[in-house]
Amino acid sequence: MEPPALNPTFISILHKNSIIVDYNMWGSYIVDDLLANVYSSTYVLITDTNLFPHYVPSFVEAFNHAVVTKDGRHRLLTFQIPPGETSKSRSTKAIIEDWMLSEERDPPCDTNTVIIALGGGVIGDMIGFVAATFKRGVRFVQVPTSLLAMVDSSIGGKTAIDTKAGKNLIGSFWQPQRIYVDLNFLNSLPTREFINGFAEVIKTAAIWDEKEFSLLEASSGHLMLAIKSRPDYGPSRLFGVKEILKNIVLGSIRVKAHVVSADEREGGLRNLLNFGHSIGHAFEGILTPQILHGECVSIGMVLESVLARHLGVLSNSSVSRLTKCLASYELPTSPKDSIVQERSGFKTCTVDKLMSIMGVDKKNNGRNKRIVLLSGIGRTYEPRASVVKDEDIQILLSPAIQIDPASTLKAHVECVPPGSKSISNRALVLAALGKGECRLRNLLHSDDTDVMLQALAQMKGVSFSWEDDGEILKVVGNGGNLECSDQDIYLANAGTASRFLTTVSTLSKPSKHAFSILTGNSRMKKRPIGPLVDTLRSNGAEIEYIGTEGSLPIRVKATNGMEGGDIRLAATVSSQYVSSILMCAPYAKKPVTLQLIGGKPISQPYIDMTIAMMATFGIKVMASKAKKHTYHIPQGQYQNPENYSVESDASSATYPLAIAAITGTSCTVPNIGSQSLQGDARFAIEVLRPMGCTVEQTASSTTVKGPSRGNLKSLPKIDMETMTDAFLTTSVLAAVAQGYGSKGRTRIVGIANQRVKECNRIEAMKDELARFGVAARELDDGIEIDAIKHTMLQEPVGGVCCYDDHRIAMSFSVLALACQPAISIQEKDCVGKTWPSWWDELARNFGVRLVGDDRAILSSDVKPKSHYHKSIFIIGMRGAGKSTAGRGAAIVLDWPFIDLDSCLEARISCTIPELIRDRGWDGFRHEELSTLKSCLREKPNSYIFACGGGIVEILEARELLINHCKAGGIVLFVQRDIDLNIDFLKIDKTRPAYIDDPRRVWERRQLWYRECSNYDYFSRTLRGEDLENPSDDFSRLLRAITGKLSPLDHIRARTNSFFVSLTVPDIIEAKDLLDEVLVGSDAVELRVDLLYDEPRDSGIPAIGFVAQQVARLRASTNLPIIFTIRSRGQGGRFPNDAQGQAMAIYQLALRMGIEFIDLEMEYPEEFLRAVTLSKGQTKIIASHHDPEGRLDWRDGSWVPYYNKALQFGDIIKVVGVAHTQDDNVALLEFRRWAELVHNTPMIAINMGIEGQLSRIQNSFLTPVSHTKLPFKAAPGQLTASDVRMGLSLHGIIKPQRYYLFGSPIAQSRSPSLHNSLFKVVGLPHRYSLYETGSVEDVKVMIRADDFGGASVTIPLKIDIMPCLDDVSDDARIIGAVNTITVDPSRTRLRGNGQFLVGKNTDWQGMALVLSNAGVICRKGQSALVIGGGGTARAATYTLYKMGYSPILIVGRSPHKLMTVIKSFPEEYQIHLIETTQDVRSMGYSPSIAIGTIPADQPIDSKLQNILREVLQMPTAKDAQKRTLVEMAYKPKQTPLMQLANEAGWTSIIGLEVMAGQGFYQVRSPYDTLIGY
């Protein structure tokens, strides 16, 4: 047992010292206190099953020991319930009460009973409510075990249970007699739960005590080290933070105790404790249980503080301070945080849903919503929750904002922009490198500066604290003494920070590590940093790229500064490279002379700014008098000035000034003038004044008055090299600058660096202006814009896309004020980078009416979007089949195909052998790279490119292809057996021979091919004819990886779906079984762990062997594949400890474009994340199996696994074990709960004989076996037929009647075909003949409740159509129906009964037969139809759908044929052939013919002559074989076939078409029940 507490702290609540706080109280101390102060003969200790084994036995021992030494008249009863929110229910409460009342307690519990609630918030709330109602109220004590419960839920007497209507809606106020806060419980608290509790701690300090808040800010680093260490049931975890943690907990408890004592029943003051809860609870209502209470409250606190800022009662510095504090404890600060998105399964939180949940908040005053508003850190705006208008909340919550141009703007505005980002970041670096204290005023509170501050603190370069309510930052610099960071330095998308800190990190000294790692988000990893790194490397720095060459992440070794001396740097890309070296140069080992090369430096004013600021901090840089663009920097240490005021951001100031310009109002910016350090301060003088504005500028202020609306002048040409960021503002003004006779064209130059900012700003500006109807063109270093009248501006559909770029958002908000329609700005929160309160400024200061716009999230999926339109690049060895694959892909996707070698030859007007002869291989590689760049730039979307085999020899080409993959594009690696490849190369003389041995070339390139690609295709042949006939497996691969094929959507649409689990050791050897085994399933599972790779004895198949298995399976079936590696721990055979091999096999599956991957949730999160981030279009089945039966569907033990699966999976699969039928009932309830809260499809079954019912009840992708398979994949597995029979017996699948209508039909084999299939797949239906020639005879039958569908033949194909509710397009155009189906998703407009749809499958049978014969239409190919009856109409439709044009038609009756032609749309291009002269005048020869004339009589002589003429027409040499489809069944050799054979045509008999038509006819009526 733990030693007793020595010095507990007592806290008074409601005039009683009933809260006791200390370490080590559990056990003897609490027992003694209970017996002395909460006396009872019966104590009932209730906890959950997780806590019980760890804490209850020791307490029982202490209790029994104490009772023995006292009077012995006390008993302790214990009870445990399942953990988790699901236990906080009426049913659990009833179970506890029944147990306490049971005679088995002997005697039952009475009114003197004391209940001890040991646990977190769920236990405390629920057990407190039991105490409040048991015997009309008994005493209870709280022993909270989580931080959240210690500081919040255990204090105040609130008790409750959840209902379906919501959380905590039934409960009471019932005060505990004692609250024992034993901080030792926190040693074993899981890290996430620990962090979760800090949300309430921070909340309490934020509303009440600024000093406590400052303590939390200062202590986050030490506390988080302890919190993130391994949970331990001993005392070691908190060893170094015990006192500070106790003080923080005491501070929170004291505040809550004081508030509760003043307002026990929540009449007003106690509402303050709900800061963050109004909005937080709304998110919790949607995101629970995946996102925890404290995490939702954290998000709520940030949003409610932003709301207070929007309403003008809270400063932005306070918002920033609160946000940073929460983030320092790794709490989410936005619902868009990636961890929130992933954990919640990308749930969508619409504004309407959030507002609806907020509408039932108990704090509300009727329909008026009340929210706690801060007025500063440590204080609230009112001593209660404040009423807030719905429209203000909607602005806050919406992802987009709508600007109303009809707003009544103020005539004059004074606007103070935030501090300059450029100056703020430089000031932070200089103060950190300097010695002593420096108070920074007007520092920009933004994402960028937050990143910079945290990074400097990570390197021990600075300590900081906030003063004056966050308006002043006190920085204590460390004089340049930095250390390597223990953790990666994450810079998000902060480009300035990345460039400055790359050099700063070279100053570090080794700590635990000898290097620092700088990284960022996906956008940052594309931004260039190469020129700076090259320069630093040349001066002694050791920097290594971890990812893509030239971008973050990088590893920087501690070298204690640059070598110094002469440094040469290209300054034509970014001035930030220059500033980075300038600021760190004083700490070099020798004085630095920095020479800027390559021409005129870009953004010289920013270089001047850096030099001026360095002088303020004590280091004077001297410009060389002898050399241009050269600077001398002395060695020395910065000396921090006592105070430094950051000038407002001049780039940001352009937006309020531009509003005045475009709206004809006036605006003053009071702290930016002619003496500004910033180049953009010239904007008013050099841009707005020439555009017609009145400008007054003093040394420290600027005022602009715009001309009347529509009268801005265009600028023929303006060089904005000195104020590049302001070009965006200029561009939106130029869009409407037509006034005073100006030509309306503005040309902006000198801004090439804007292509490498947060996005390609020049391209983005051009594209977004186009959506307003404004034409713009990119220049090499700028943009040219043609203005239109402001009244002609169009509304961009879907709003302005901001590319996550703050300056684009603010610029287009200016243009929106000139439009007539209201304009939506998407990604509105991106302004947080430099001006978080921009929208508040527009509303409060300028008078702009804003409206929250939720359409952005409603109209798009939150999950990452597919990029299937991006061009595809095919790579691989020469002779691997790249061109073959490329042409096939062009056919499948209907995209143009370009061979890069041919493209290169066209560009340089010579052949590749000639190029190599004249310029060598280097010259060839140079042109090859140029061609690749050109294609990427000019044809980025919807093209297929086949690259030369050696493209990967070029480093820059590899980087381009890798970046194409990262951007969502596809690079397909085509490969074949290397020996076959080499044999081909020996006979290929069209390209220069390899210098090296081909096998060595392959070995050198193989890894490069993989590095540059994201998908594999294993080519099977070298035959040229495959160019015209891409295989089914290749077609499926392309449609799958481009997102054009969605098997999950198809499967979800089915009432019941199945996948068959293959248990064969080798697919190749079992290929003959597959056709039968796969019948009736919607997908097929490849169990990789069951494959047997004979040469290997590890139980792990080789990668190549698995690839062969996948390729064979793909070639054998069109069903989507489920790729499964089942580990031994999950009931399979794959070794549990072979994670590396499993990852390699998963990566193979992803590269092969497998449709579904089963991913076990037992793998570590890093493993799971690595697979899911690479998944592309593959869907993840996140699975957990419990073969030992340890988990129970009833007690919440499955919930953590479900939540984890929800985080990583597109589909959830949970498999338990049934011991009794009650387990199946419990599983059904679990399923209902899951379906109620999430839309993610789920496979949920129980194993074992007892669990077979659960397999019948599972409707989505039930795993099934087959009698022909060697064994079942799991105990209790059924066949698909078994499941359907079970569904039939339960009445879920109801017997239906199917018919064949028509006459004569007595000899039809359709009943035998359909009924055999029904039997095989386990359906209770019956197919019968009904012979009739009158449609009146079937009208009643097709409206019967048990009618399932029908086949229709002559003479009813046309007569039946008016009796149906709808006909398909094929039936309508062909003019006949041969199949009737029931569509359960549609309702009849008139009358009751089922909705009947008529279809025609005749054309599908023809198309299938032609496809099976290898026929595929080339562009411009014609085809021939012979005859003019109903079958001829189906043939015409078939040929049109296959792409043939024109379609020729010939027959005995031209008049009848003209009637057929006129019945088809004009685009069918049907030409009538009446004479042999018509044939001779044709400029084309048909390659396909379909005959529909009777075969039991000779062909008319005139028609025979015409046919002979057509069939014998010459064809091109490369034409495919000519094929006749003879629809007549008899005789075996028809006259038409004889004519075709004589002319060299191949004939297909009509019986094959009949089989194909029957296939689709069988499939169509009940496709929702049987998969093919």
Side-chain angles (χ1 to χ4, degrees), residues 84-114:
E85 194 78 27
T86 52
S87 287
K88 194 174 163 183
S89 63
R90 288 186 177 112
S91 58
T92 306
K93 180 174 182 285
I95 290 170
I96 295 170
E97 290 164 342
D98 291 345
W99 178 84
M100 292 174 65
L101 291 169
S102 170
E103 292 292 336
E104 295 178 9
R105 303 292 76 77
D106 191 27
C109 300
D110 56 23
T111 56
N112 190 45
T113 298
V114 172

Side-chain angles (χ1 to χ4, degrees), residues 422-438 440 452 456 461-462 475-480 482 500-501 504 579-587 609-619 621 637-641 644 677:
S422 300
I423 296 176
S424 293
N425 276 316
R426 285 166 173 79
L428 287 171
V429 171
L430 292 170
L433 296 179
K435 190 71 175 175
E437 292 184 1
C438 180
L440 299 178
M452 178 69 82
L456 290 168
V462 63
V475 179
V476 181
N478 204 17
L482 287 79
F500 288 0
L501 292 172
V504 168
S579 294
S580 180
I581 291 178
L582 280 171
M583 288 189 290
C584 296
Y587 294 93
M609 173 196 294
T610 302
I611 292 171
M613 292 182 66
M614 289 172 67
T616 303
F617 282 78
I619 298 291
V621 177
Q637 186 179 68
Y638 292 113
Q639 299 300 314
N640 286 339
Y644 187 88
L677 293 171

Side-chain angles (χ1 to χ4, degrees), residues 12 17 133 264 273 285 522 568 599 634 734 736 811 915 951 1110 1169 1218:
S12 175
N17 282 334
T133 57
E264 181 184 3
L273 296 173
S522 57
R568 290 161 58 87
V736 293
S811 295
L915 172 64
I951 193 78
V1110 172
R1169 204 173 305 282

